[in-house]
Amino acid sequence: MTSAPGSAVPEPPVLDLARLTRRYGAFTAVDDVGLRLPAGARHAVIGPNGAGKTTLLNLIAGTDRPDHGTITLDGTDITRTPTAGRSRLGIARSFQQPSVIGELSVLDNIVLAGWPHHPKRRGAWRSPSRYRLHTASAASHLKTVGLADLAHRPAATLSHGQRRMLDLAAALAGRPRLLLLDEPAAGLTDDDIGRLLAILGALPPHVAVILVEHHVEVVAQVCSTVTVLAAGRTIATGPTREVLTRPEVRDAYHGTGSTAGPAAAPARG
Ligand code: ATP
């Protein structure tokens, strides 16, 4: 669905993946995957270990290149656009392993992450006048993720859950149109997962999210639509509640040794 209600002119999707394929030698990690997302979509990509989920995020973010297929952002073909260019166009990402800079303060991590995206970004990022300009918006991102009180601590002193929140704040500092989240709930306590859900629920409505996540409860709460990958191929896509109950989706997890996924979701009535 890519047209606004009541509009005769269909809106272009914010993201359009067509026949995306990535091979490593004879092995195909992502196999002929297509996906169209409207602005503000909340879409999950799930699947058993090794299904190709992170590879798909890498292709969208530009840290890996497809052997075949196209990636279109807001109507522009970005298949060959470098990662930094995609970032400037509004693609931001959080990682399975949080990518914070331990020696910098929590606040400076966000100032640095937001610097290339700020309208007043000229000059060295730590020049005093420029730096002051950026700390205000960085502080607001820290407040969003519940780290405002830790702003001046070295990032290296944060707990795993706090690092994940900092990584998310760094992604938000990129003022994304499309936010790619790679297993943000991994290793979090129940309290941290509650905070994560609140943060994701409060994202600006125009920001599209692709969430790779093994926690089905998080997927079900955050995402209205889902794609299921298995061995690089799309085996199901559609409304989350409906897709999670399909037998072929639950079958995809059986025999993989995976303890997470729709096998843990409520069985069909
Ligand atoms: P997980 O849920 O365990 O994170 P995933 O669905 O994210 O898995 P990917 O990390 O995308 O899976 O990996 C898909 C497959 O591609 C795996 O079999 C992996 O070993 C393989 N793969 C990924 N990157 C490379 C690479 N650079 N070279 C060779 N094989 C790779």
mmCIF file of all heavy atoms in Angstrom, residues 24 27 29 47-56 96 183 214, ligand 1:
data_model
loop_
_atom_site.group_PDB
_atom_site.id
_atom_site.type_symbol
_atom_site.label_atom_id
_atom_site.label_comp_id
_atom_site.label_asym_id
_atom_site.label_seq_id
_atom_site.Cartn_x
_atom_site.Cartn_y
_atom_site.Cartn_z
ATOM 1 N N TYR A 24 27.783 -15.318 -2.131
ATOM 2 C CA TYR A 24 29.169 -15.432 -1.679
ATOM 3 C C TYR A 24 29.710 -16.708 -2.306
ATOM 4 O O TYR A 24 29.389 -17.805 -1.840
ATOM 5 C CB TYR A 24 29.246 -15.498 -0.155
ATOM 6 C CG TYR A 24 28.703 -14.266 0.531
ATOM 7 C CD1 TYR A 24 27.554 -14.325 1.299
ATOM 8 C CD2 TYR A 24 29.339 -13.023 0.393
ATOM 9 C CE1 TYR A 24 27.055 -13.196 1.933
ATOM 10 C CE2 TYR A 24 28.850 -11.892 1.013
ATOM 11 C CZ TYR A 24 27.710 -11.990 1.777
ATOM 12 O OH TYR A 24 27.222 -10.864 2.395
ATOM 13 N N PHE A 27 27.394 -19.788 -2.760
ATOM 14 C CA PHE A 27 26.317 -19.700 -1.768
ATOM 15 C C PHE A 27 25.510 -18.419 -1.971
ATOM 16 O O PHE A 27 26.076 -17.344 -2.109
ATOM 17 C CB PHE A 27 26.940 -19.735 -0.371
ATOM 18 C CG PHE A 27 25.947 -19.575 0.734
ATOM 19 C CD1 PHE A 27 25.138 -20.637 1.096
ATOM 20 C CD2 PHE A 27 25.821 -18.367 1.410
ATOM 21 C CE1 PHE A 27 24.208 -20.494 2.119
ATOM 22 C CE2 PHE A 27 24.905 -18.213 2.417
ATOM 23 C CZ PHE A 27 24.098 -19.279 2.782
ATOM 24 N N ALA A 29 23.167 -15.848 -0.272
ATOM 25 C CA ALA A 29 22.717 -15.415 1.057
ATOM 26 C C ALA A 29 21.389 -14.679 0.989
ATOM 27 O O ALA A 29 20.552 -14.781 1.889
ATOM 28 C CB ALA A 29 23.775 -14.511 1.697
ATOM 29 N N GLY A 47 13.363 -14.619 10.490
ATOM 30 C CA GLY A 47 13.766 -15.870 9.853
ATOM 31 C C GLY A 47 14.798 -16.551 10.718
ATOM 32 O O GLY A 47 15.416 -15.911 11.586
ATOM 33 N N PRO A 48 15.021 -17.835 10.508
ATOM 34 C CA PRO A 48 15.982 -18.560 11.333
ATOM 35 C C PRO A 48 17.405 -18.060 11.141
ATOM 36 O O PRO A 48 17.689 -17.295 10.211
ATOM 37 C CB PRO A 48 15.832 -20.009 10.860
ATOM 38 C CG PRO A 48 15.091 -19.963 9.581
ATOM 39 C CD PRO A 48 14.348 -18.672 9.524
ATOM 40 N N ASN A 49 18.309 -18.490 12.001
ATOM 41 C CA ASN A 49 19.725 -18.094 11.895
ATOM 42 C C ASN A 49 20.245 -18.406 10.499
ATOM 43 O O ASN A 49 19.975 -19.483 9.954
ATOM 44 C CB ASN A 49 20.570 -18.829 12.936
ATOM 45 C CG ASN A 49 20.176 -18.457 14.355
ATOM 46 O OD1 ASN A 49 19.845 -19.305 15.157
ATOM 47 N ND2 ASN A 49 20.179 -17.180 14.656
ATOM 48 N N GLY A 50 20.973 -17.453 9.934
ATOM 49 C CA GLY A 50 21.564 -17.657 8.618
ATOM 50 C C GLY A 50 20.610 -17.442 7.459
ATOM 51 O O GLY A 50 20.949 -17.721 6.301
ATOM 52 N N ALA A 51 19.410 -16.889 7.743
ATOM 53 C CA ALA A 51 18.398 -16.719 6.690
ATOM 54 C C ALA A 51 18.752 -15.613 5.694
ATOM 55 O O ALA A 51 18.196 -15.551 4.597
ATOM 56 C CB ALA A 51 17.036 -16.428 7.313
ATOM 57 N N GLY A 52 19.648 -14.706 6.096
ATOM 58 C CA GLY A 52 20.021 -13.612 5.205
ATOM 59 C C GLY A 52 19.546 -12.245 5.681
ATOM 60 O O GLY A 52 19.660 -11.255 4.943
ATOM 61 N N LYS A 53 19.075 -12.162 6.910
ATOM 62 C CA LYS A 53 18.482 -10.913 7.403
ATOM 63 C C LYS A 53 19.516 -9.783 7.493
ATOM 64 O O LYS A 53 19.293 -8.683 7.003
ATOM 65 C CB LYS A 53 17.847 -11.153 8.790
ATOM 66 C CG LYS A 53 16.832 -12.285 8.787
ATOM 67 C CD LYS A 53 16.247 -12.526 10.165
ATOM 68 C CE LYS A 53 17.223 -12.998 11.218
ATOM 69 N NZ LYS A 53 17.750 -14.375 10.984
ATOM 70 N N THR A 54 20.652 -10.075 8.155
ATOM 71 C CA THR A 54 21.683 -9.036 8.293
ATOM 72 C C THR A 54 22.262 -8.685 6.922
ATOM 73 O O THR A 54 22.548 -7.508 6.640
ATOM 74 C CB THR A 54 22.797 -9.501 9.251
ATOM 75 O OG1 THR A 54 22.220 -9.669 10.547
ATOM 76 C CG2 THR A 54 23.922 -8.494 9.340
ATOM 77 N N THR A 55 22.427 -9.679 6.076
ATOM 78 C CA THR A 55 22.932 -9.396 4.725
ATOM 79 C C THR A 55 21.984 -8.435 4.004
ATOM 80 O O THR A 55 22.433 -7.491 3.333
ATOM 81 C CB THR A 55 23.087 -10.703 3.923
ATOM 82 O OG1 THR A 55 23.933 -11.601 4.655
ATOM 83 C CG2 THR A 55 23.684 -10.444 2.552
ATOM 84 N N LEU A 56 20.688 -8.653 4.160
ATOM 85 C CA LEU A 56 19.721 -7.751 3.523
ATOM 86 C C LEU A 56 19.882 -6.324 4.059
ATOM 87 O O LEU A 56 19.904 -5.358 3.284
ATOM 88 C CB LEU A 56 18.288 -8.268 3.764
ATOM 89 C CG LEU A 56 17.191 -7.482 3.062
ATOM 90 C CD1 LEU A 56 17.313 -7.597 1.544
ATOM 91 C CD2 LEU A 56 15.806 -7.954 3.515
ATOM 92 N N GLN A 96 23.993 -5.134 15.442
ATOM 93 C CA GLN A 96 23.909 -6.243 16.413
ATOM 94 C C GLN A 96 24.876 -5.996 17.554
ATOM 95 O O GLN A 96 24.565 -6.221 18.709
ATOM 96 C CB GLN A 96 24.248 -7.578 15.733
ATOM 97 C CG GLN A 96 23.053 -8.238 15.069
ATOM 98 C CD GLN A 96 23.382 -9.635 14.553
ATOM 99 O OE1 GLN A 96 24.275 -10.289 15.052
ATOM 100 N NE2 GLN A 96 22.645 -10.064 13.549
ATOM 101 N N GLU A 183 18.447 -6.536 15.440
ATOM 102 C CA GLU A 183 18.288 -7.208 16.735
ATOM 103 C C GLU A 183 18.482 -6.254 17.922
ATOM 104 O O GLU A 183 19.321 -6.510 18.804
ATOM 105 C CB GLU A 183 19.219 -8.408 16.840
ATOM 106 C CG GLU A 183 18.920 -9.460 15.780
ATOM 107 C CD GLU A 183 19.625 -10.776 16.032
ATOM 108 O OE1 GLU A 183 19.809 -11.134 17.200
ATOM 109 O OE2 GLU A 183 19.982 -11.437 15.051
ATOM 110 N N HIS A 214 14.660 -11.374 16.707
ATOM 111 C CA HIS A 214 14.231 -12.735 17.049
ATOM 112 C C HIS A 214 13.126 -12.745 18.100
ATOM 113 O O HIS A 214 12.432 -13.748 18.237
ATOM 114 C CB HIS A 214 15.424 -13.557 17.558
ATOM 115 C CG HIS A 214 16.344 -14.014 16.467
ATOM 116 N ND1 HIS A 214 15.959 -14.900 15.491
ATOM 117 C CD2 HIS A 214 17.632 -13.693 16.180
ATOM 118 C CE1 HIS A 214 16.966 -15.127 14.673
ATOM 119 N NE2 HIS A 214 17.992 -14.398 15.062
HETATM 120 P P1 ATP B 1 21.397 -14.461 12.280
HETATM 121 O O1 ATP B 1 19.951 -14.488 12.673
HETATM 122 O O2 ATP B 1 22.163 -15.623 12.820
HETATM 123 O O3 ATP B 1 22.063 -13.141 12.549
HETATM 124 P P2 ATP B 1 20.996 -13.799 9.461
HETATM 125 O O4 ATP B 1 19.645 -14.186 8.995
HETATM 126 O O5 ATP B 1 21.215 -12.375 9.796
HETATM 127 O O6 ATP B 1 21.432 -14.732 10.688
HETATM 128 P P3 ATP B 1 23.208 -13.460 7.679
HETATM 129 O O7 ATP B 1 24.143 -12.949 8.720
HETATM 130 O O8 ATP B 1 22.656 -12.479 6.722
HETATM 131 O O9 ATP B 1 22.026 -14.285 8.353
HETATM 132 O O10 ATP B 1 23.964 -14.615 6.892
HETATM 133 C C1 ATP B 1 23.315 -15.346 5.859
HETATM 134 C C2 ATP B 1 24.272 -16.384 5.347
HETATM 135 O O11 ATP B 1 25.288 -15.736 4.574
HETATM 136 C C3 ATP B 1 24.974 -17.166 6.458
HETATM 137 O O12 ATP B 1 25.065 -18.522 6.044
HETATM 138 C C4 ATP B 1 26.327 -16.531 6.521
HETATM 139 O O13 ATP B 1 27.311 -17.457 6.946
HETATM 140 C C5 ATP B 1 26.560 -16.110 5.070
HETATM 141 N N1 ATP B 1 27.422 -14.939 4.959
HETATM 142 C C6 ATP B 1 27.160 -13.713 5.447
HETATM 143 N N2 ATP B 1 28.165 -12.871 5.158
HETATM 144 C C7 ATP B 1 29.084 -13.601 4.471
HETATM 145 C C8 ATP B 1 30.358 -13.305 3.889
HETATM 146 N N3 ATP B 1 30.876 -12.073 3.952
HETATM 147 N N4 ATP B 1 31.001 -14.289 3.253
HETATM 148 C C9 ATP B 1 30.490 -15.529 3.177
HETATM 149 N N5 ATP B 1 29.297 -15.885 3.696
HETATM 150 C C10 ATP B 1 28.606 -14.930 4.340
#
